[in-house]
Amino acid sequence: MTGAAASVGQPVAARDGRRRRLRRGDLSGMGFLAPFLVFYALFLIVPLIYEIVMSFFHTSLVLPGLGGFAGLGNYREVFGDARFWQAVWHTIWFTIVSTPPLVVLPLFFAIVVNRLSHGQWFFRLAFFLPYILPSAVISLIWVWLYEPGYGLVDGALSALGLGAPAWLSSPDVALYSIVIVTVWWTIGFNFVLYLAGLQDIPRDLYAAAALDGASQWQQTWRVTLPMLGRTTTLVAVLQVIASLKLFDQVYLMTAGGPNYSTRSAIEYIYDTGFTSQRIGYASAAAFVLFVIIAVVSFGWLLIVRQQEKGV
Amino acid sequence: MAVSVPWRRDHAATAAGSGQVAPRAREDWRGRLFRRAVTGVVIALALVWLVPVAWTLDTSVKSENATIIIPATWNIPQFTFGSYSAVFSATALGRWYLNSAIVSVIATAATVITASMAGYALSRHRFRGKTLVYGCILAGIMIPPQALIIPLFRELQAVGAIDTYWAVILPQVPTPIAVFIFKKFFDGVPVELEQAARVDGASWWASYLRIAFPLSRSAVAAVSIFTFVWSWNNFLWPFLSATSTSMMTIPAGIGTVVSGVGIMNALQMASAVLASLPLVLVFLLGQRQIVEGVAGTGLK
């Protein structure tokens, strides 16, 4: 009995009973892990392996089996496929354009709102509410807001005496229109992350800075911003990873158009797999994208590790 | 999920004592004006953020003809709830509600149960290969499910599950980040209670079920709300795996309304409002857990 108690999170002292105890721990530990691991294996690991296997074959959506062996043919084609890299570029460009406002704006909002003594709930509601709405609803709302002529955006601009671009139907503008929607939709998540980060800054620091004669402005620059460094990195990297998975709002609002000018990498995989039915080839493209996202995520882990060591 | 911040305690103590009056007193009138102006800007932007929501509500109670007036106006010439009833007759929204509820509730329950058990094992048990298993699960956080849609589809097609609840629900269950959250939580719970129970002869299962799980209420709440919202909103997978209209969840179904034909602006906005209602409810009821959950995933 004492043996069982000792194995609860405590280092085991007695040596002779050890092997048996370990085996018992093995069994019950794996028993607790098993349900999760079954789902994990079936719906993440097996698909991942299957995707890698398919990427070496001419697999078709409508035919059973893997199809003919392709060797590295699919990968050679992916690397030379201008449409794939165009879609990857849209995704990267979207990330480059949307990340700065999604990192800086909520930071500004959070710093200002955090100083208010009451009414913070209103800002949380305003900024966070869109974040919990489904992408399909977001797309419905914004297609209607952008509607040429009848839409509220055009109405507001014409009331100001300004002309409006063709928000979703001009190849030069459409991606930026989607950036605006995405900023509106997802800013709340970062806003809340920053608010949490601000809560963790010790008030003493401000008091000390004030004693030294620092103005409010100086306190913000010299105390708040440096103390939020870790949160800002986190927000930026989470943002980049999320942006690389861009699909829903583009697919729903423009279907990748006009003239493929907004098609994202995930949508390219979807199109080749489910419309052109070339799932062997689409798997190769998906795996390339998978590697890109995994590398970025791994870079994030390294940055976070580094920062934790620094602090 | 609570983050241990070494200075938290003194900070709370001094904040209660001295407050932050001192720095404010030092401010001159220009500083005050600047601060007011900045606050004003943020208030204005918060109002701007609410405009799309207000416009959606406004459009949803217009008649279809009132939506095609140039320029767009906020006036509601004929206030009507007609579009709300039209949604139910024009689309299968009622059915989509049911499907979404079934999918999200089952996916959430399965995620919470499996992830909490796994997190418990990783926190409390000692066994060979534990580090390896934990490493594999952590690596899973980096797997983007969107990049796996093709093999997943193929896999479920092979067992004839496409267009069933199974196909929509099961792939949503493995959520490595939830395991991570639970493990962190159990790591922070003292083991003495469980040890005592185990000395008294309680099995692992009993000490988990009677002691650890009830103690983890706040982690359960955060993970449940997050999984529920995420599952309710999930578009791509349900859209692929539920091919017939009667099997669609709300986002997939609403997706078909986006590309509808004819003038249906009011109807579309009414369906947007109806599709969002459960989430707004969850948000208003669980705002604190949601906010804490976001902070928790962030500050891990």
Side-chain angles (χ1 to χ4, degrees), chain A residues 26 40 42 51 63 65 184 200, chain B residues 7-8 127 136 147 154-155:
Chain A
D26 272 3
Y40 187 68
L42 280 178
E51 177 158 276
L63 298 174
W184 178 79
D200 285 339
Chain B
W7 55 64
R8 251 241 177 101
F127 54 90
C136 285
R154 193 81 172 171
E155 191 183 328

Side-chain angles (χ1 to χ4, degrees), chain B:
Chain B
M1 248 176 323
V3 197
S4 72
V5 184
W7 55 64
R8 251 241 177 101
R9 200 166 304 143
D10 355 316
H11 145 213
T14 45
S18 64
Q20 10 155 227
V21 189
R24 292 240 167 118
R26 216 171 271 278
E27 221 177 353
D28 63 1
W29 65 271
R30 268 174 305 184
R32 241 185 343 253
L33 191 68
F34 178 71
R35 216 152 44 81
R36 290 226 174 115
V38 169
T39 309
V41 168
V42 174
I43 291 174
L45 283 171
L47 290 171
V48 168
W49 239 258
L50 286 172
V51 166
V53 176
W55 182 242
T56 303
L57 290 170
D58 184 90
T59 306
S60 73
V61 291
K62 280 175 174 166
S63 67
E64 291 294 353
N65 286 334
T67 66
I68 44 166
I69 294 167
I70 298 181
T73 46
W74 287 88
N75 301 334
I76 307 161
Q78 300 131 330
F79 184 92
T80 166
F81 281 111
S83 296
Y84 283 88
S85 48
V87 170
F88 285 97
S89 52
T91 71
L93 191 74
R95 178 67 199 227
W96 299 338
Y97 256 118
L98 179 71
N99 293 342
S100 275
I102 290 172
V103 167
S104 304
V105 168
I106 296 179
T108 304
T111 301
V112 168
I113 292 168
T114 58
S116 138
M117 283 171 64
Y120 181 75
L122 292 169
S123 172
R124 292 286 190 265
H125 287 70
R126 315 184 143 260
F127 54 90
R128 254 165 297 158
K130 189 172 102 167
T131 323
L132 181 74
V133 171
Y134 188 44
C136 285
I137 294 176
L138 280 186
I141 294 177
M142 289 189 259
I143 301 179
Q146 291 92 332
L148 296 179
I149 48 174
I150 290 167
L152 257 184
F153 187 85
R154 193 81 172 171
E155 191 183 328
L156 288 153
Q157 197 183 33
V159 294
I162 290 299
D163 211 26
T164 65
Y165 285 127
W166 298 115
V168 184
I169 295 169
L170 296 180
Q172 302 192 31
V173 174
T175 316
I177 189 100
V179 176
F180 176 81
I181 291 172
F182 275 112
K183 181 194 182 288
K184 279 270 153 175
F185 184 88
F186 288 126
D187 281 348
V189 174
V191 295
E192 281 75 25
L193 262 179
E194 287 162 60
Q195 273 176 351
R198 300 210 14 87
V199 168
D200 290 346
S203 64
W204 277 109
W205 178 244
S207 69
Y208 163 74
L209 206 63
R210 305 233 181 86
I211 302 171
F213 189 77
L215 274 176
S216 67
R217 243 174 326 193
S218 68
V220 170
V223 171
S224 314
I225 289 177
F226 257 85
T227 314
F228 183 85
V229 171
W230 180 80
S231 173
W232 186 279
N233 287 351
N234 193 1
F235 171 73
L236 180 55
W237 180 248
F239 168 74
L240 282 172
S241 57
T243 44
S244 62
T245 312
S246 64
M247 285 306 296
M248 285 177 181
T249 58
I250 285 191
I254 293 292
T256 65
V257 179
V258 177
S259 46
V261 281
I263 308 166
M264 320 196 296
N265 302 318
L267 183 129
Q268 288 181 340
M269 290 309 108
S271 65
V273 173
L274 289 171
S276 312
L277 272 184
L279 288 166
V280 175
L281 216 65
V282 168
F283 173 67
L284 293 178
L285 291 176
Q287 197 184 8
R288 217 191 49 174
Q289 279 87 349
I290 291 179
V291 168
E292 277 172 8
V294 173
T297 52
L299 298 167
K300 59 196 174 193

